[in-house]
Amino acid sequence: IMFEVVGQMEHDPTAFTQGLTYHNGVLYESTGLYGGKSSIRKLDPQTGKALQVVNMDAQYFGEGMTFCNGLLIQITWKKKKGFMYNA
């Protein structure tokens, strides 16, 4: 696979990216870390600034995500749970 880096943006160093997707002009990031630090974030694709953050309960470690039928779907590690969000 060939690619070209066309830009860079700032990123929260405490956010450990597990999933990243782009939909309707917005970046969505799923982060994973135990202790209440997993989240799903809506990011400005030009600046990387978090426009909205939804923290997961401390028992969950956030993993990958995707869009399906108009919903943002996020999965977890070890707990075998998934979450659906209106985006």
Side-chain angles (χ1 to χ4, degrees):
I1 298 173
M2 299 295 295
F3 66 90
E4 175 186 357
V5 175
V6 296
Q8 295 180 355
M9 67 178 70
E10 294 296 317
H11 184 261
D12 179 351
T14 66
F16 297 93
T17 305
Q18 300 296 321
L20 187 67
T21 190
Y22 182 82
H23 182 71
N24 287 342
V26 178
L27 272 175
Y28 293 90
E29 176 184 30
S30 174
T31 69
L33 191 63
Y34 278 121
K37 302 203 190 251
S38 287
S39 65
I40 196 138
R41 298 161 179 240
K42 185 177 183 179
L43 307 175
D44 179 314
Q46 300 301 315
T47 65
K49 179 182 175 187
L51 304 173
Q52 184 178 5
V53 177
V54 176
N55 291 314
M56 300 180 78
D57 189 270
Q59 68 179 311
Y60 298 114
F61 186 108
E63 280 286 347
M65 66 177 172
T66 191
F67 272 97
C68 184
N69 296 325
L71 295 172
L72 187 60
I73 300 171
Q74 180 187 31
I75 58 173
T76 62
W77 183 49
K78 292 191 177 182
K79 293 290 185 179
K80 300 179 183 177
K81 298 279 183 183
F83 297 91
M84 295 186 293
Y85 304 89
N86 292 317

